[in-house]
Amino acid sequence: MLLDAEQLEDGALLEAKVIIAGGGMAGLLLARQLGDAGIDVLVLESGGQSQDARVQSMYAGKMTLGGPSNSQRTMDGYLIASRVRCLGGSGNVWGGKCAPLDPLDFERRDWIAHSGWPLTRSTMQPFYDRACDVLELPHFSVDAQAMTGAPEPLFASGPRRFTARPRGYTRCSGAVANSTYQDYKVAAANHERVRIYLKANLTRIEMSEDGERVAALDVRCLNGRTHRARAHTYILAMGGIENARLLLASSDVHRNGIGNHSDWLGRGFQGHAVIEKEGQTSVQLLRNSAVLAPFDVMNRSKVHIVLGASDDTQRALRGVNFTVTLPRAIGAVTGAPAAALAVAKKLASASTSERREAYFMIEHTPNRESRLSLIRDELDELQMPRVRLDMRFGAAELDRFMPTLAMFASELGRCEAGRVQWRGGAEDLVASMSLSRHHMGATRMAVSAKSGVVDEHCRVHGVQNLYVAGSSVFPTSGIANPTLTLLALALRLSDHLRGRIST
Amino acid sequence: MNKHMDRRGLLRLLAGLGAAVVVDQRLAFGASATCSGVFGELDEAAIAELGREYLSQRSDAAAVDAIAKLLAESQDEAKTLEQLRARVLADFTAGRIVNLAGWFVSETEGCVFAALSRCASEV
Ligand SMILES: Cc1cc2nc3c(=O)[nH]c(=O)nc-3n(C[C@H](O)[C@H](O)[C@H](O)COP(=O)(O)OP(=O)(O)OC[C@H]3O[C@@H](n4cnc5c(N)ncnc54)[C@H](O)[C@@H]3O)c2cc1C
């Protein structure tokens, strides 16, 4: 049922077994799942049914992007442009590109500080499969060939330094043709056990005096009305930035914010970045178009592949995850590069060749200096401190970009598959980055409160009845678009809660 | 512009090597294979640019000399190409690469450009 919190009498008390703050992809899936288990669920959603500039402006803040030896960029607009504050959240606009994290992404890698999930890819596999069912995607097996039907087409011989990684597109996005996203929203909104309050902003989490339980939530509306909300169990599903913002801002019992036992709350923020220079990042492939077809991203109905550094490569280079995407054919080069490529083609006895646009992605490793914080003296319309995001890439990944790219170039050459175009060094990587709208890590998952904010069941450490859903719980983020993983975690969380909440 | 490295160019290439013995041998072979024969038609200015860039990054001219010699002494295009190919593959396998004009190529390819450009610049 869809309800309007602005129409409630001022000071209303909203009650349910479970309250979910945030009606985006995570919150709505959880609501549906818990509702299916016979649990009464109430969703507090800040926005209305469509985007509204006044509501969206509560996402404004300050942001910088930087890294060692790189010039810092100011990107305040990113905080508003990279998410949507209304029912359905960013699901209304997302690209729908899906991929699971790789098995190594979950592992602790002794050369990467703060790496490792309390979960493994095999633990996650059944939840990935169920998330794929929700999104009407084929299941992602660990074996790319089994999924795409295409063997890795470039590095057929020798050590497998780069391997194929499948990516798929779902129709479950408000932004695509024949979208099924409206059905996704309706499935939650029409659920007999689910009430969704629109225009209901969570502004404070009230803790019990001992700090071990959430006692209630403060809810504010832009028409000035304030309400209270009370439940057995609370779930924050307000997106990768707002989850941390609310925990930081609710500081009356836990002075540094809820779940901030080890000063990790807001820290370890990660965002995927595409590294590309216009007209200057490409790959000349000494193969024909038919062989290269599995790389095409233009056909959304087909799973495509990108090339990723294998586990062995990452281990050998003490490197990080790295992918190359070859989306489409582009025009041939001229001048000196044309001569160089003619020689390469002759040497490989290649009768055909194709230049492909390329972009590179390098894993953003967890870095304590990459963080969200509150600007205490700048408040939004609901008197919430605005957010400040200092997104920092570290030497851990920036210094490994060139060796990994060089290995990729060497592999292409060794297999007579092509040559790679790239000019520049580690010091201009930040300038070459376009950021994805993926917000990960600010409420990271860890077995112990000493190294994270939530436990392996997404429960806030030290708080018995507060959970977090969404990509903010990712301790590391690989290079996979996050939504499939956050939905898989939401399904896992709903299973966990079903057994614990009486109907 | 002469896009082919002809007999004159080849002689200059050999002269550039400063190896009289090689010149003698080469003359004896009658210069039946030219570098242009090995790689098809290549834009001399482009090759010169690549060669210069390679030499600006690598100070050791011995490797370039060796490739120049290989090219100069070539009597059998296919065989020369196969020899170069083996070197290129060995380079890539060992990660011996260099970035020229924004592209990663093998050291051997860099040497090929440098060797060809010596000749091109003197023709
Ligand atoms: C343009 C774009 C393209 C993208 N493309 C991809 C892609 O191809 N693949 C991919 O995996 N991901 C993509 N993403 C990211 C993807 O959209 C998100 O990962 C996903 O939608 C997050 O879902 P969520 O429910 O966790 O958070 P959100 O979608 O952010 O939902 C949070 C909800 O909480 C509400 N809310 C916020 N604050 C409050 C509050 N104080 N009180 C109550 N409610 C509140 C919001 O209104 C919103 O409805 C893209 C994002 C954008 C913007």
Side-chain angles (χ1 to χ4, degrees):
Chain A
M1 193 189 319
L2 279 181
L3 300 151
D4 184 340
E6 290 190 348
Q7 303 302 318
L8 289 168
E9 295 259 325
D10 195 25
L13 176 64
L14 310 174
E15 289 182 291
K17 267 278 187 258
V18 174
I19 291 181
I20 301 170
M25 294 194 76
L28 294 180
L29 181 59
L30 272 160
R32 197 165 107 193
Q33 291 291 314
L34 295 172
D36 284 348
I39 298 168
D40 283 325
V41 180
L42 195 150
V43 177
L44 301 171
E45 167 51 47
S46 162
Q49 293 206 57
S50 55
Q51 289 189 58
D52 175 297
R54 189 174 167 208
V55 177
Q56 188 70 15
S57 74
M58 289 188 284
Y59 274 166
K62 291 202 163 34
M63 175 180 170
T64 62
L65 173 67
S69 311
N70 277 255
S71 304
Q72 189 166 301
R73 293 165 60 184
T74 300
M75 299 186 66
D76 295 349
Y78 176 83
L79 289 169
I80 282 202
S82 65
R83 48 203 180 133
V84 171
R85 190 159 171 156
C86 71
L87 182 66
S90 298
N92 291 298
V93 298
W94 75 307
K97 188 172 181 177
C98 292
L101 289 164
D102 302 323
L104 188 61
D105 293 330
F106 289 96
E107 286 177 27
R108 195 180 114 60
R109 291 160 283 171
D110 61 12
W111 62 97
I112 298 177
H114 316 300
S115 60
W117 288 57
L119 307 171
T120 63
R121 167 69 186 266
S122 47
T123 316
M124 287 294 290
Q125 190 62 39
F127 302 101
Y128 273 133
D129 291 348
R130 281 166 60 190
C132 285
D133 294 342
V134 169
L135 298 176
E136 297 177 17
L137 285 170
H139 292 181
F140 285 90
S141 74
V142 185
D143 176 0
Q145 183 170 350
M147 191 175 176
T148 60
E152 195 298 296
L154 295 180
F155 306 114
S157 65
R160 295 178 59 74
R161 296 198 170 107
F162 291 84
T163 54
R165 308 274 170 80
R167 266 82 177 118
Y169 286 104
T170 172
R171 287 192 300 141
C172 190
S173 156
V176 306
N178 304 321
S179 169
T180 56
Y181 196 48
Q182 190 58 23
D183 302 339
Y184 187 97
K185 291 191 265 187
V186 167
N190 284 355
H191 200 291
E192 57 180 3
R193 296 278 180 185
V194 178
R195 283 172 293 154
I196 301 177
Y197 274 97
L198 300 175
K199 304 177 189 173
N201 296 279
L202 168 60
T203 54
R204 189 177 73 103
I205 303 163
E206 184 188 309
M207 299 300 294
S208 59
E209 275 176 24
D210 62 9
E212 288 179 6
R213 295 189 67 82
V214 174
L217 304 177
D218 283 354
V219 179
R220 282 172 180 254
C221 303
L222 282 170
N223 67 355
R225 296 194 182 162
T226 59
H227 310 297
R228 302 270 288 160
R230 198 172 287 151
H232 173 276
T233 298
Y234 301 84
I235 305 172
L236 304 183
M238 296 175 292
I241 295 173
E242 296 304 292
N243 285 344
R245 183 183 180 193
L246 254 296
L247 291 169
L248 282 164
S250 303
S251 54
D252 29 14
V253 172
H254 296 286
R255 287 284 161 211
N256 298 322
I258 300 167
N260 202 8
H261 309 278
S262 48
D263 194 20
W264 266 110
L265 180 59
R267 294 187 185 267
F269 188 92
Q270 297 148 58
H272 294 134
V274 164
I275 298 173
E276 183 177 29
K277 298 184 184 184
E278 209 184 328
Q280 293 180 61
T281 29
S282 66
V283 172
Q284 184 80 27
L285 292 161
L286 306 172
R287 297 282 193 271
N288 66 39
S289 300
V291 176
L292 301 176
F295 292 105
D296 289 339
V297 304
M298 301 314 286
N299 182 351
R300 290 182 59 97
S301 64
K302 269 181 40 192
V303 172
H304 72 275
I305 56 173
V306 304
L307 292 167
S310 67
D311 295 3
D312 286 349
T313 295
Q314 293 181 51
R315 286 200 175 92
L317 294 175
R318 295 181 75 74
V320 297
N321 210 334
F322 170 94
T323 61
V324 181
T325 304
L326 303 167
R328 59 186 72 82
I330 52 171
V333 284
T334 55
L341 295 169
V343 167
K345 192 173 166 191
K346 187 81 186 172
L347 283 164
S349 306
S351 55
T352 140
S353 78
E354 182 171 301
R355 184 172 173 225
R356 289 235 154 192
E357 178 188 339
Y359 62 80
F360 310 115
M361 294 183 76
I362 189 117
E363 178 182 358
H364 188 181
T365 62
N367 168 359
R368 285 182 58 83
E369 303 316 312
S370 185
R371 68 180 295 204
L372 281 167
S373 54
L374 299 179
I375 313 173
R376 298 268 175 197
D377 55 358
E378 274 187 41
L379 306 178
D380 70 14
E381 215 182 321
L382 296 170
Q383 306 306 304
M384 288 282 299
R386 289 205 182 276
V387 82
R388 178 182 176 87
L389 172 57
D390 293 298
M391 197 193 291
R392 293 289 174 272
F393 283 78
E397 53 269 8
L398 298 185
D399 289 353
R400 284 160 170 96
F401 177 76
M402 289 308 293
T404 315
L405 182 61
M407 183 177 274
F408 178 70
S410 298
E411 279 301 283
L412 275 186
R414 181 185 69 76
C415 298
E416 302 192 299
R419 301 287 183 271
V420 177
Q421 183 187 23
W422 168 262
R423 202 198 288 266
E427 65 292 344
D428 58 14
L429 288 176
V430 168
S432 311
M433 285 178 178
S434 343
L435 293 183
S436 306
R437 290 84 162 189
H438 306 162
H439 309 137
M440 298 152 300
T443 65
R444 73 194 314 265
M445 182 189 286
V447 175
S448 148
K450 287 186 192 138
S451 43
V453 176
V454 302
D455 69 12
E456 65 272 34
H457 296 295
C458 299
R459 187 175 64 83
V460 174
H461 279 295
V463 185
Q464 290 165 26
N465 60 346
L466 180 61
Y467 293 80
V468 178
S471 49
S472 59
V473 304
F474 297 6
T476 64
S477 52
I479 305 187
N481 307 60
T483 307
L484 184 73
T485 300
L486 74 85
L487 293 180
L489 286 170
L491 291 165
R492 188 169 177 273
L493 173 57
S494 71
D495 284 7
H496 175 76
L497 291 177
R498 277 166 183 234
R500 278 164 180 76
I501 299 170
S502 58
T503 52
Chain B
M1 186 170 63
N2 176 17
K3 289 196 169 183
H4 300 268
M5 195 184 307
D6 56 11
R7 181 183 167 82
R8 189 166 140 254
L10 191 55
L11 289 172
R12 285 176 191 274
L13 168 71
L14 296 167
L17 283 172
V21 160
V22 177
V23 173
D24 289 342
Q25 275 179 357
R26 189 71 196 92
L27 288 172
F29 296 146
S32 57
T34 66
C35 296
S36 64
V38 173
F39 291 111
E41 287 202 8
L42 293 173
D43 175 342
E44 268 184 20
I47 290 295
E49 188 184 327
L50 291 165
R52 270 196 308 275
E53 197 178 338
Y54 181 72
L55 291 171
S56 73
Q57 294 185 45
R58 299 286 190 267
S59 54
D60 177 12
V64 180
D65 291 349
I67 295 293
K69 188 164 179 277
L70 179 77
L71 290 170
E73 291 176 358
S74 165
Q75 293 185 79
D76 178 341
E77 281 182 11
K79 200 170 152 204
T80 306
L81 211 50
E82 197 44 50
Q83 283 175 302
L84 286 170
R85 177 173 175 245
R87 288 182 188 220
V88 166
L89 294 184
D91 281 350
F92 280 125
T93 303
R96 287 190 297 267
I97 58 174
V98 59
N99 191 293
L100 300 182
W103 291 80
F104 287 105
V105 299
S106 65
E107 290 283 349
T108 297
E109 287 167 285
C111 291
V112 165
F113 303 136
L116 293 178
S117 69
R118 275 183 187 170
C119 158
S121 61
E122 288 171 19
V123 171

